[in-house]
Amino acid sequence: MEIFKNISAIKYEGADSKNPLSFKFYDKDKVILGKKMSEQLPFAMAWWHNLCACGTDMFGRDTADKSFGVEKGTMEHAKAKVDAGFEFMQKLGIEYFCFHDVDLVPEAEDIKETNRRLDEISDYILVKMKQTGIKCLWGTANMFSNPRYMNGAGSTNSADVYCFAAAQIKKALDITVKLGGRGYVFWGGREGYETLLNTDVKFEQENIANLMRMAVDYGRSIGFKGDFYIEPKPKEPMKHQYDFDAATAIGFLRYYGLDKDFKLNIEANHATLAGHTFEHDLRISAINGMLGSIDANQGDYLLGWDTDEFPFDVYTATMCMLEVLKAGGLTGGFNFDAKTRRPSNTYEDMFEAYILGMDTFALGLINAAKIIEDGRLEKFVKERYASFNSGIGKKIREKKTTLEELSALAEQMGAPELPASGKQEYLESIVNQVLFGK
Ligand code: XLS
Ligand code: CA
Ligand code: CA
C-alpha cells in the first residue's frame, strides 16, 4: 500500500526548477571527478528521525503524525514504518539506511521478546532490501533512552545494567550482520559524567573499552567485516561525554588497542558543539586514517545544543566534501541524522528536508571538485611550507638534526625574518570566486 500517495519519485530538474519536490543540484548519474554523484555521495536515511520522531520537545507533544495509518507501539506499526521507509528511500533514490535496535520495534519488558520482535522485523526488512536493492549503512544499539541507562551503559555503576548493554549490542550486531551493514556505531549517549564527585573516570573508561573489545570479538566471530565506529560528541545528554571529539576518541581507541577495528563517524553538529568546525574533526580523523562515515546535519549558531538540522550551509558542505575527496572518499556514507523543525510536520516536509540535504551535499561536492581542479588552494598550502624543502628545513623533516644544531643555527641567525603571510582573506576570496564565478 502506497503511503506517500501524492508524492511521486523525486527527479533532478536542474537549478531553474520551481518544483519543490525535485532535485535542483543532485543529479545522481552526473560524473564528478570520475565517479557518479550517487557513488560520491552514498546517502542514508536515519530511521529514528525520519520514521519515529514526531516533533515532541521539552515543551510540547507530537506535531507530526507518523502512525502511517496503524496503531503505534505495535508490530503492525513497526512494519508500517518499514513500508514507509522503503517507499520514502525509493522515491528519493536513497540507497542506505541506519537504525537503532529500538527504532525498529517497540521494546518489550523482557529482552527475549524484544529480540524475537527484532528477528521478525529484520526478516521483513530483508525482503524489502532484496526487492529494492536498498542497503544498510550501519546499525547501533540505543543504550541511552531507557531509564536503566541513566548512569551510562559501558560506563554504568551497575554490573547488571552492563550485562543488559552487552545483550543489546550482541543483538544489534546480529541484526546489522543479517542486513549486511557496512558499519556498527557506538555513540556514547550517556557514556560520560555529571560530576566527578561520584565518578571514577578511569574505571568507567576501562569498562567502555572492554565492552567495545567484546563487541569486536563477537562481531568478527559472526562474520562482520565492516568498520566499528565511535561517533564523538562532547556533551548532551551528559555534561561531559568521554568521546568528546575526534582527537579524544582517537586517543582512547589507540590507548585501548581498538584502533585497528574502529574508525570514526563524524557528525557535523557534534563537532560544532565541541567548539570545532565540522571540517576540523573530518581532517583530524582523515590524517589519522580513521575517517569512516558522516552524520550529515548542522547545528544552529544561536543555540547551544544538538539541533540536528538538515544541512543547508553550502560553505560547510563544500569544506566537508573537500576533506572527504582529499581523503579518497568514505568507507561509510552520509547519514542524514537530521529532523525537520517541529512546525514542519507534513509528509511533504519530510521529502523537502531530504531534498535540501541532498542538494546541499551535491553543491558541496560540485564546489569541492572545482576547488580541487582550480588547484590554487592546494598549491598555496604546499608552498607555504617550502622552507622545509631544502637546507636545515629538509634536515628537520628527515629527522637528521638535533636541538643543539638548531640552537646553534638560531644563534648565528640573530632574529629570523617573519614568516610569509597566511593570506587568509585572499584564500577565502578564491573560494568565493570558484563558487560563484563563471
Ligand atoms: C545523538 C546521536 C545519535 C547517534 C546514533 O546525538 O547523533 O543519533 O548518531 O546513536
Ligand atoms: Ca549522529
Ligand atoms: Ca546529533
Side-chain angles (χ1 to χ4, degrees):
M1 194 188 70
E2 196 179 10
I3 292 172
F4 306 106
K5 286 206 182 72
N6 302 321
I7 300 169
S8 37
I10 309 297
K11 299 205 177 67
Y12 169 72
E13 291 185 5
D16 294 333
S17 172
K18 296 270 185 334
N19 174 7
L21 293 172
S22 73
F23 294 118
K24 318 298 181 297
F25 303 101
Y26 180 67
D27 182 5
K28 66 179 172 45
D29 293 323
K30 184 173 172 172
V31 174
I32 306 274
L33 295 180
K35 270 196 211 162
K36 287 183 181 177
M37 265 198 184
S38 57
E39 292 167 51
Q40 299 275 26
L41 297 167
F43 289 129
M45 178 195 76
W47 211 272
W48 53 104
H49 283 314
N50 204 44
L51 304 172
C52 310
C54 299
T56 291
D57 70 10
M58 306 264 264
F59 301 95
R61 54 181 192 272
D62 290 357
T63 54
D65 176 10
K66 293 189 185 165
S67 61
F68 304 120
V70 295
E71 192 192 335
K72 287 170 88 170
T74 61
M75 281 306 281
E76 208 192 346
H77 181 240
K79 287 184 182 156
K81 287 197 294 184
V82 177
D83 295 342
F86 277 81
E87 185 187 325
F88 183 84
M89 289 185 277
Q90 267 193 304
K91 286 186 167 170
L92 278 157
I94 291 180
E95 287 177 31
Y96 293 90
F97 62 89
C98 300
F99 69 91
H100 299 86
D101 46 2
V102 304
D103 303 335
L104 301 182
V105 293
E107 202 180 356
E109 274 306 310
D110 179 353
I111 192 169
K112 291 200 289 283
E113 171 58 13
T114 307
N115 288 350
R116 192 203 60 73
R117 293 177 186 177
L118 283 168
D119 290 337
E120 186 183 333
I121 206 72
S122 50
D123 284 345
Y124 191 66
I125 292 175
L126 258 187
V127 173
K128 293 270 180 185
M129 289 172 73
K130 289 204 178 110
Q131 282 167 0
T132 60
I134 288 171
K135 299 171 284 262
C136 172
L137 185 63
W138 52 256
T140 187
N142 176 328
M143 304 190 298
F144 43 88
S145 294
N146 193 300
R148 70 172 63 92
Y149 295 122
M150 68 181 191
N151 293 335
S155 61
T156 182
N157 56 317
S158 156
D160 288 354
V161 171
Y162 193 93
C163 290
F164 214 92
Q168 262 188 271
I169 294 170
K170 178 173 177 291
K171 190 65 185 176
L173 271 166
D174 287 339
I175 302 296
T176 302
V177 170
K178 178 171 171 182
L179 301 180
R182 275 197 191 187
Y184 183 88
V185 164
F186 281 87
W187 168 57
R190 295 185 196 270
E191 311 292 33
Y193 64 83
E194 292 296 323
T195 172
L196 283 177
L197 295 177
N198 66 12
T199 303
D200 185 334
V201 172
K202 187 168 191 294
F203 183 95
E204 293 194 358
Q205 292 202 345
E206 277 170 11
N207 273 2
I208 295 170
N210 194 18
L211 193 57
M212 288 178 173
R213 164 56 49 207
M214 290 190 280
V216 169
D217 290 346
Y218 178 71
R220 298 305 180 213
S221 80
I222 60 166
F224 177 60
K225 302 223 163 41
D227 289 318
F228 288 86
Y229 300 122
I230 281 187
E231 180 181 321
K233 184 176 183 181
K235 57 188 168 189
E236 198 203 4
M238 297 309 261
K239 187 165 83 177
H240 183 101
Q241 287 179 213
Y242 294 134
D243 303 326
F244 190 90
D245 61 0
T248 312
I250 291 166
F252 172 89
L253 291 171
R254 293 224 170 108
Y255 184 77
Y256 289 105
L258 293 161
D259 50 311
K260 298 286 170 288
D261 293 283
F262 274 80
K263 289 193 167 69
L264 299 184
N265 179 41
I266 298 298
E267 178 174 318
N269 202 169
H270 297 181
T272 49
L273 278 175
H276 303 308
T277 59
F278 181 23
E279 55 270 28
H280 167 90
D281 258 18
L282 295 171
R283 176 74 63 92
I284 296 298
S285 310
I287 62 174
N288 283 284
M290 287 198 197
L291 178 54
S293 205
I294 283 179
D295 270 13
N297 65 9
Q298 68 177 42
D300 188 307
Y301 291 116
L302 304 181
L303 304 172
W305 64 91
D306 191 17
T307 54
D308 285 341
E309 295 171 23
F310 276 86
F312 163 61
D313 180 342
V314 174
Y315 280 104
T316 300
T318 301
M319 293 305 137
C320 162
M321 290 314 299
L322 202 51
E323 296 304 321
V324 170
L325 290 173
K326 285 198 292 192
L330 302 173
T331 48
F334 298 82
N335 167 44
F336 288 112
D337 191 352
K339 57 189 175 210
T340 57
R341 297 306 86 195
R342 190 164 185 269
S344 300
N345 61 345
T346 68
Y347 285 167
E348 283 79 15
D349 290 305
M350 290 164 66
F351 281 85
E352 286 163 14
Y354 270 76
I355 290 170
L356 168 68
M358 292 163 80
D359 269 343
T360 299
F361 267 80
L363 278 169
L365 171 63
I366 293 166
N367 292 335
K370 282 198 216 161
I371 291 173
I372 289 172
E373 277 162 357
D374 175 86
R376 277 178 289 172
L377 292 188
E378 200 187 336
K379 185 163 173 272
F380 182 87
V381 174
K382 241 199 190 119
E383 285 172 2
R384 189 158 177 250
Y385 299 95
S387 71
F388 287 89
N389 292 344
S390 59
I392 191 62
K394 190 157 182 261
K395 255 181 128 178
I396 293 171
R397 292 296 292 165
E398 288 169 351
K399 302 191 181 73
K400 287 185 179 149
T401 184
T402 62
L403 217 53
E404 293 90 320
E405 185 187 17
L406 297 180
S407 161
L409 261 174
E411 281 176 27
Q412 277 171 34
M413 262 185 263
E417 279 177 29
L418 271 185
S421 163
K423 290 206 163 290
Q424 181 172 333
E425 298 75 8
Y426 164 65
L427 298 169
E428 287 169 347
S429 81
I430 293 181
V431 172
N432 277 351
Q433 187 195 0
V434 173
L435 264 57
F436 302 106
K438 283 277 162 229

